[in-house]
């Protein structure tokens, strides 16, 4: 594509940014000061209590809220900041699509992703999931583009600067995405490798500082919750009695570890939920199994991988599929757009509920309710998952290494979410809903004749 053609097809990024920023701003006004849930309350309380209360969120996410919420106690400030970053990332990718004449991809990316109700919902929430999903797409888009060009231009430097901290450090599984940065560093010439280091290394240093400075007293981890939740599920009553053949479903050591804090198996099983581990951990009247001793936790982990998992593998696989489908169909709990009225009184925030009786708020509630009613169509990440398969197959067939890298990152993340999730939360799959922003350009431009901008 020649320069004249580029100029003729160029969409002014400033105009697109203003249009997106206006829509995002109206959305924020409609749910002012933002959508808040239990995770929002947890991070607010951690900031307000100077970490006497701990949310067990990634340290850099705590630092982000400490910097933007702490000084003013206004939840709308960090929410507005993450909405601004989402607007910048979407503007960048959509402008590239238009310039490269990917008009169908542009309109799907605009209407089906950037302005999708689920994206607007989480972008305006004090949750890390929305900014993580958008930042991951923005980071992977620049990694793909820079690898193809074998150079790191100034636009990429700026976009990586604002996306890397959220794509890598705002969620526990984000560190997997560092594979993309390392692969890009290997592929780039030395001078551009130094540019990449200048962008990424300061964020890594800050993340390391936050990790050591804001250590969690009782980190939950990723593997123990899975082992605990599934082990309790293995003990669920089976009316057919197929295990009455002299071989225990779980080991005696496991049962001793589970009941070591004084809870009976009957009480523990009473709080087992097929979609959430929360009743086992957080319910005041529940068994509170996070309070188990370190020895008991180690026993549960050891027995899970040496006996319990392998003797209950069909149940384990069924549980994984059950939670994944529950999440993907958006059947998990969602905080309403007016939930701030219940969350803010539990904090010392200076934020106020505003604009609740305006026409914009009524339109937002009606639109959100309508799309949520048909969430199995409008909220599910099937388009992104299908594109992962199609783009993965095409890039593999054409040995398109940059495209293969991006697809591999999404597949790694899908494997991690599918394997380790212990709650049927739709937000864990939001990154796959947003994935078409980067996968559509890869799918359309997988041959060497496509332009690089």
């Amino acid at each position: 594509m020649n320069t004249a053609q580029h100029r003729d097809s160029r969409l002014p990024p400033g105009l697109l940014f203003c249009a997106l920023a206006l829509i995002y701003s109206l959305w924020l006004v409609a749910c002012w000061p933002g959508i808040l849930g239990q995770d929002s309350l947890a991070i607010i309380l951690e900031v307000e209590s100077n970490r006497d209360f701990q949310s067990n969120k990634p340290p850099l996410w705590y630092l982000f809220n400490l910097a933007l919420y702490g000084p003013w106690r206004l939840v709308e400030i960090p929410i507005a900041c993450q909405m601004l970053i989402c607007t910048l990332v979407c503007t960048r990718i959509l402008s590239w699509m238009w310039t490269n004449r990917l008009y169908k991809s542009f309109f799907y990316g605009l209407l089906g992703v950037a302005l999708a109700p689920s994206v607007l919902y989480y972008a305006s929430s004090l949750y890390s999931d929305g900014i993580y999903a958008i930042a991951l797409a923005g980071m992977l888009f620049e990694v793909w583009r820079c690898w193809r060009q074998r150079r790191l231009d100034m636009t990429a430097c700026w976009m990586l600067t604002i996306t890397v901290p959220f794509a890598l450090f705002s969620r526990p599984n984000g560190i997997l995405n560092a594979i993309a940065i390392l692969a890009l560093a290997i592929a780039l010439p030395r001078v551009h490798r130094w540019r990449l280091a200048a962008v990424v290394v300061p964020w890594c240093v800050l993340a390391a500082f936050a990790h050591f400075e804001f250590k969690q007293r009782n980190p939950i981890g990723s593997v123990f919750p899975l082992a605990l939740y599934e082990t309790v599920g293995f003990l669920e009553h089976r009316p057919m009695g197929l295990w009455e053949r002299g071989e225990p479903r779980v080991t005696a050591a496991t049962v001793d570890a589970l009941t070591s804090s004084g809870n009976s198996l009957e009480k523990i099983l009473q709080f087992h939920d097929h979609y959430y581990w929360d009743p086992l951990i957080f319910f005041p009247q529940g068994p509170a199994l996070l309070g188990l001793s370190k020895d008991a936790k180690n026993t549960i982990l050891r027995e899970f991988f040496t006996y319990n998992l392998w003797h209950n593998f069909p149940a384990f696989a069924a549980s994984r599929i059950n939670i994944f489908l529950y999440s993907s169909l958006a059947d998990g709990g969602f905080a309403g757009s007016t939930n701030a009225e219940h969350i803010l009184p539990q904090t010392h925030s200076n934020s106020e509920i505003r604009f609740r009786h305006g026409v914009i708020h009524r339109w937002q509630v009606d639109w959100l309710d309508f799309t949520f009613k048909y969430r199995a169509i409008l909220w599910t990440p099937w388009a992104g998952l299908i594109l992962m398969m199609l783009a993965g197959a095409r890039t593999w067939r054409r040995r398109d290494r940059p495209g293969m890298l991006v697809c591999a990152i999404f597949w790694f993340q899908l494997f991690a979410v599918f394997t380790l999730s212990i709650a049927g939360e739709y937000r864990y799959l939001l990154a796959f809903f947003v994935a078409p922003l980067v996968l559509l350009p890869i799918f359309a431009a997988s041959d060497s004749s496509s332009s690089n901008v």
Side-chain angles (χ1 to χ4, degrees), residues 31 33-45 53 55 57 61 75 79 121-122 124-129 333-344 346-347 425 427:
C31 63
I35 296 173
L36 305 178
Q38 291 303 313
D39 280 10
S40 310
L41 175 62
I43 196 67
I44 290 172
L45 293 179
F53 174 89
S55 65
K57 301 303 177 187
W61 179 243
V75 297
I79 290 174
Y121 175 92
Y122 278 107
S124 59
S125 307
L126 195 60
Y127 282 77
S128 62
D129 306 273
F334 292 86
S337 57
T338 61
N339 199 53
E341 297 173 359
H342 307 291
I343 297 296
L344 289 179
Q346 303 177 59
T347 72
E425 293 281 355
R427 56 197 174 100

Side-chain angles (χ1 to χ4, degrees), residues 37-39 57 121-122 127 129 224-234 236 267-283 286-289 318-335 372 375 379 420-429:
Q38 291 303 313
D39 280 10
K57 301 303 177 187
Y121 175 92
Y122 278 107
Y127 282 77
D129 306 273
F224 173 72
L226 174 72
L228 175 66
Y229 175 76
E230 295 296 350
T231 298
V232 174
F234 298 157
E236 194 173 40
K267 179 177 181 179
I268 293 173
L269 290 171
Q270 181 185 352
F271 287 88
H272 175 254
D273 187 284
H274 281 225
Y275 305 108
Y276 282 89
W277 84 315
D278 298 56
L280 295 172
I281 305 301
F282 301 117
F283 279 25
L289 293 180
S319 173
R320 299 295 87 211
I321 294 171
N322 183 50
I323 287 180
F324 178 78
L325 289 178
Y326 191 80
S327 304
S328 62
L329 294 173
D331 282 333
F334 292 86
F372 193 73
R375 61 191 180 276
W379 286 53
L420 297 175
S421 287
I422 34 77
E425 293 281 355
Y426 167 81
R427 56 197 174 100
Y428 298 156
L429 301 179

Side-chain angles (χ1 to χ4, degrees), residues 90-103:
C90 290
T91 299
R92 162 63 182 151
I93 300 177
L94 293 172
S95 297
W96 186 95
M97 290 179 180
W98 186 276
T99 301
N100 284 269
R101 299 179 178 271
L102 303 177
Y103 300 128

